[in-house]
Amino acid sequence: MLKDKTVLLGVSGGIAAYKCAALASSLVKAGAEVHVIMTAHACNFINPITFETLTGNKCVVDTFDRNFQHNVEHVALAKKADVFLVAPATANVMAKLAHGLADDMLTTTFLASTCPKIVAPAMNTAMYENAITQDNIKILQHYGIEVITPATGYLACGDTGSGKMPEPEVLFQYVEKAVAREKDMVGKKVLVTAGATRESMDPVRFITNHSSGKMGFAIAKECMLRGAEVTLVKAATTAVLPMFIDTVSVESAADMFEAVISRSAEMDIIIKAAAVSDYTPLNVSDQKVKKKDGDLSIPMKRTQDILKYLGEHKKDGQFLCGFSMETENMLENSKAKLLRKNADMIVANNLKDDGAGFGTDTNLVTLITKDEVRQLELMGKDQVAKAVVDTILGQL
């Protein structure tokens, strides 16, 4: 997702500097060109050679280092950058950044950069909570710099509290959010459903399906990366929940119906990717499972059809996308579903196809609108999500 992006990673003198080696490695693996700028104090915690080995680029420490091409190095790096992350950001470095001081390579380059900037504070709890530090954070935020809230936990000084730098995986997602996609969905509100609903048979057993939530999560993340305000209504899932998304957890089909319908009127785009149970047992609270000739016998009723209701109550300008998971006659059934549910697009797949369906990291789908049927090749679910969102935006 970060192919052709240039990330500047500013490392200042805190013990959490060691975590940035893993972060730099992850950024490079994601396709980014990574340049690391260190303060002199940071070199006491981790050697610049580590970053040079991981990134393939010279790690810059000295503002007056002559070992580079003939240009003004801090300006050259600033111009190349798509995003500048300072992690860890000590109280001292944050004070400099907040007040425009530029007395080393890191602060000079930061001041010269016009790209999105992110700061990850890491320090002792008392230093972080000090009113001066908090004022500096407000100043940084006033100038449009994103300041990551530190984690809470056991600190290197032996205290337990706020001030702990988030793990590299979290910092990576902040960088990804900043530059992975063009922000072509800013101002749009999107609701995505994901996961498998569960219908209780009795206090112990329930009816469900094999949905992992991966596809729905991928779509929600894609919309978030493009700048949309995303609400994710999720049932049971095994996938990793994406950050920066408003999440509503539900269990049954009725719960999901209520959560979706109560929020639907304010949404510009609704994408129903959840695998919702078609039936639910009657009178669950009083239900006693009966056996007849060794088989379970449970009276059932249909659950409410979320997509159909949304189609019947679709507001002007609202885009409705549903999923169709079939085992036969996929195209015919999905086209009929598009019309029957008054949807604007159906994402269809055949669960019998290799690499498609529940629990996989890939999917093989066909995108169906009133005017077009387009089959995609087998690809990762994040790539499918991008294709789905691209198609939706092309229809608006």
Side-chain angles (χ1 to χ4, degrees), residues 50 204 266 307 352:
T50 301
V204 176
E266 62 185 275
L307 188 62
K352 292 182 178 180

Side-chain angles (χ1 to χ4, degrees), residues 169-188:
E169 296 82 3
V170 174
L171 298 180
F172 179 92
Q173 292 188 64
Y174 273 90
V175 172
E176 193 177 47
K177 175 170 70 79
V179 297
R181 294 283 188 266
E182 295 296 324
K183 305 304 182 216
D184 52 4
M185 294 185 74
V186 172
K188 295 192 181 300

Side-chain angles (χ1 to χ4, degrees), residues 248-280:
V248 180
S249 296
V250 298
E251 183 161 329
S252 69
D255 296 336
M256 181 167 283
F257 182 90
E258 176 60 31
V260 170
I261 301 310
S262 64
R263 294 166 173 82
S264 61
E266 62 185 275
M267 297 298 162
D268 300 299
I269 301 170
I270 301 176
I271 304 171
K272 182 186 168 294
V276 180
S277 301
D278 292 326
Y279 294 91
T280 186

Side-chain angles (χ1 to χ4, degrees), residues 96-339:
K96 291 180 182 181
L97 300 179
H99 295 281
L101 298 182
D103 62 353
D104 59 15
M105 193 62 174
L106 192 159
T107 53
T108 302
T109 309
F110 192 90
L111 193 61
S113 297
T114 57
C115 64
K117 301 173 187 175
I118 309 169
V119 173
M123 64 198 73
N124 168 269
T125 302
M127 294 176 70
Y128 175 70
E129 294 178 349
N130 188 289
I132 298 173
T133 302
Q134 292 300 309
D135 282 346
N136 288 334
I137 289 174
K138 292 174 184 176
I139 291 171
L140 291 170
Q141 292 171 331
H142 169 74
Y143 288 114
I145 297 164
E146 182 164 19
V147 181
I148 301 173
T149 302
T152 299
Y154 182 79
L155 306 177
C157 62
D159 292 344
T160 298
S162 57
K164 184 181 179 72
M165 191 174 83
E167 295 304 312
E169 296 82 3
V170 174
L171 298 180
F172 179 92
Q173 292 188 64
Y174 273 90
V175 172
E176 193 177 47
K177 175 170 70 79
V179 297
R181 294 283 188 266
E182 295 296 324
K183 305 304 182 216
D184 52 4
M185 294 185 74
V186 172
K188 295 192 181 300
K189 292 186 176 183
V190 181
L191 187 147
V192 181
T193 69
T197 59
R198 294 175 172 179
E199 306 302 321
S200 295
M201 297 163 58
D202 57 33
V204 176
R205 288 161 286 197
F206 56 82
I207 300 169
T208 190
N209 56 67
H210 296 291
S211 176
S212 65
K214 289 181 179 180
M215 192 67 253
F217 281 15
I219 291 172
K221 180 178 179 179
E222 180 69 24
C223 294
M224 175 274 295
L225 291 175
R226 292 173 180 245
E229 181 182 334
V230 183
T231 299
L232 175 66
V233 179
K234 62 172 288 292
T237 60
T238 56
V240 178
L241 189 67
M243 292 178 60
F244 315 116
I245 288 171
D246 180 23
T247 303
V248 180
S249 296
V250 298
E251 183 161 329
S252 69
D255 296 336
M256 181 167 283
F257 182 90
E258 176 60 31
V260 170
I261 301 310
S262 64
R263 294 166 173 82
S264 61
E266 62 185 275
M267 297 298 162
D268 300 299
I269 301 170
I270 301 176
I271 304 171
K272 182 186 168 294
V276 180
S277 301
D278 292 326
Y279 294 91
T280 186
L282 284 166
N283 304 319
V284 171
S285 59
D286 302 325
Q287 185 66 48
K288 292 182 180 179
V289 178
K290 299 177 181 179
K291 286 188 177 182
K292 183 179 181 181
D293 299 327
D295 294 328
L296 294 179
S297 176
I298 307 171
M300 308 283 283
K301 67 174 182 178
R302 274 195 172 274
T303 56
Q304 291 173 294
D305 191 324
I306 298 174
L307 188 62
K308 183 173 183 292
Y309 184 94
L310 291 170
E312 291 172 346
H313 297 82
K314 186 167 55 175
K315 69 177 186 180
D316 290 343
Q318 189 176 67
F319 193 95
L320 178 60
C321 174
F323 273 63
S324 178
M325 289 168 281
E326 307 289 342
T327 55
E328 59 183 16
N329 300 323
M330 181 195 75
L331 198 56
E332 295 80 357
N333 292 342
S334 300
K335 285 182 176 179
K337 185 174 186 177
L338 178 77
L339 297 175

